[in-house]
Amino acid sequence: MRSLITLAALASLSCTTKSQTPAAVKDTTHTQPPTAVPANMSHGEAPVGTVPDSAPVDPLPPARSTQHLVKVRFEIHNTDIQIASGVRYSAWAFAGKVPGPIIRVTQGDTIDFTLINRGNLQHSMDFHAAQIAPNKFYVNVLPNDSLHYRFVAEVPGAFMYHCGTAPVAAHIANGMYGALIVDPRTPRPPAKEFVFVQSEFYLTADSTGAPRTLAWNRLLELAPDYVTFNGRASQYAEHPLKVKVNELLRLYVVNAGPNRFSSFHVVGGIFERVFVDGSTLSPLAGVQTVAVPVGGGSIFEIRLKQPGTYPFVTHAFADATKGAVGVFSAEP
Ligand code: CU
Ligand code: CU
């Protein structure tokens, strides 16, 4: 009951705290922090909505793979995406999505990969889960051409994949990345699982209402306008993710960057175990915040002990302010 009241209070606050939403960040002339009434919640960097589980991008991973040969076929298209409410971005996308589709395989599976380039520039694909020669496989594909290769996913973890065509920072900032989960042969214990890919967007000035494009100078200055989980600012604060008190949560957090480290933290919780960069050896136990480096991915396990709303953030707070914040709504 108390959590319902808190949520209702937060929902009403959301009407009065618009100046704190990431949309406000696009005015880069601000020299003072916002002074509006803060959300009634620690780390309440974004208004918390009341509609659970219907965020624009589904954070649930696919089921564990049962085949030993997994076919993945991505077409690259230039696609307009929405990165915050009222803000569209002219992206380069794998399979029409930013981040690209979540791929899930089991240790020892062969990935049979086909890349078809329907864009107007050269692109490529670099799987961090592979151990193959970049000069042979991570090669540039011309527009309207394609590439095919296979590799065996031998090492379990939460891996990034991305276009590796130079300048890589531009290809990543324009949306060419995603997560590949490699499950260990012996399955992990059952859990409620989520995938969060953190990434940044650097925008040219808004003049006509047209989709925004990459501001290269802002990228080089490491000054993103938005930092997101799964490509859209604050979507899991607007649409909190429903979980159960005390159930095991497993979070696959991949940081696509291209520039900003993630200090991943769940407010009100302590990680039971963290598989740093997916390593199955010696997970950390009982830790509060773990860095996910750009180009890395860690697996976080946590239980939320009481009913309530628990923000998850990068504790690098400029980035949380710019949209890297979500909320778990824990129910009895
Ligand atoms: Cu590319
Ligand atoms: Cu890479």
Side-chain angles (χ1 to χ4, degrees):
M1 188 61 190
R2 196 165 159 222
S3 67
L4 283 177
I5 292 166
T6 310
L7 267 177
L10 290 169
S12 66
L13 270 172
S14 74
C15 306
T16 57
T17 55
K18 288 289 186 217
S19 66
Q20 291 194 316
T21 66
V25 172
K26 64 188 169 196
D27 180 358
T28 54
T29 60
H30 281 184
T31 54
Q32 298 294 320
T35 54
V37 178
N40 187 20
M41 176 177 65
S42 176
H43 305 61
E45 301 307 311
V48 178
T50 52
V51 186
D53 295 350
S54 55
V57 180
D58 183 359
L60 305 186
R64 187 179 158 90
S65 84
T66 51
Q67 304 148 327
H68 295 303
L69 179 65
V70 179
K71 291 199 170 188
V72 177
R73 182 182 180 278
F74 283 174
E75 283 198 10
I76 295 165
H77 288 275
N78 297 351
T79 311
D80 291 344
I81 57 166
Q82 185 140 5
I83 58 171
S85 44
V87 183
R88 295 187 67 74
Y89 188 84
S90 177
W92 305 337
F94 290 122
K97 295 177 167 190
V98 177
I102 301 164
I103 304 171
R104 185 167 200 173
V105 302
T106 301
Q107 184 179 15
D109 286 356
T110 297
I111 294 179
D112 180 285
F113 178 65
T114 304
L115 185 66
I116 296 144
N117 186 359
R118 305 282 184 215
N120 50 2
L121 294 169
Q122 296 186 45
H123 296 290
S124 59
M125 178 60 95
D126 173 334
F127 284 103
H128 286 196
Q131 298 174 91
I132 53 181
N135 62 318
K136 259 173 127 172
F137 299 103
Y138 301 162
V139 293
N140 293 335
V141 182
L142 291 165
N144 293 312
D145 204 348
S146 68
L147 170 74
H148 173 256
Y149 61 85
R150 285 183 169 193
F151 67 94
V152 178
E154 287 164 333
V155 179
F159 292 97
M160 181 182 177
Y161 66 76
H162 65 93
C163 176
T165 300
V168 179
H171 288 252
I172 291 175
N174 277 333
M176 304 191 80
Y177 49 80
L180 192 167
I181 298 168
V182 183
D183 287 312
R185 271 193 198 90
T186 306
R188 297 180 193 277
K192 175 106 174 173
E193 297 188 326
F194 298 97
V195 178
F196 302 125
V197 178
Q198 183 177 317
S199 66
E200 304 125 36
F201 292 91
Y202 303 84
L203 308 187
T204 47
D206 184 14
S207 51
T208 62
R212 313 285 279 276
T213 55
L214 174 64
W216 182 243
N217 59 328
R218 292 181 64 78
L219 182 150
L220 294 179
E221 290 159 6
L222 318 192
D225 294 273
Y226 293 96
V227 183
T228 69
F229 291 126
N230 294 342
R232 184 151 169 170
S234 311
Q235 61 177 321
Y236 307 118
E238 287 164 25
H239 306 276
L241 301 171
K242 229 179 5 183
V243 300
K244 294 252 182 291
V245 168
N246 269 325
E247 79 176 319
L248 180 64
L249 308 182
R250 182 173 299 119
L251 319 175
Y252 299 90
V253 180
V254 169
N255 186 0
N259 290 320
R260 308 275 311 163
F261 271 50
S262 181
S263 291
F264 194 74
H265 175 74
V266 177
V267 184
I270 295 172
F271 296 117
E272 223 170 81
R273 297 203 293 178
V274 179
F275 298 86
V276 175
D277 209 34
S279 171
T280 51
L281 297 174
S282 309
L284 301 177
V287 289
Q288 60 190 312
T289 301
V290 174
V292 184
V294 183
S298 289
I299 301 168
F300 296 80
E301 293 184 350
I302 193 168
R303 291 173 210 269
L304 307 178
K305 305 288 186 181
Q306 300 179 347
T309 50
Y310 294 74
F312 57 90
V313 294
T314 170
H315 217 284
F317 263 96
D319 297 341
T321 304
K322 293 172 180 179
V325 56
V327 169
F328 292 117
S329 176
E331 297 176 0

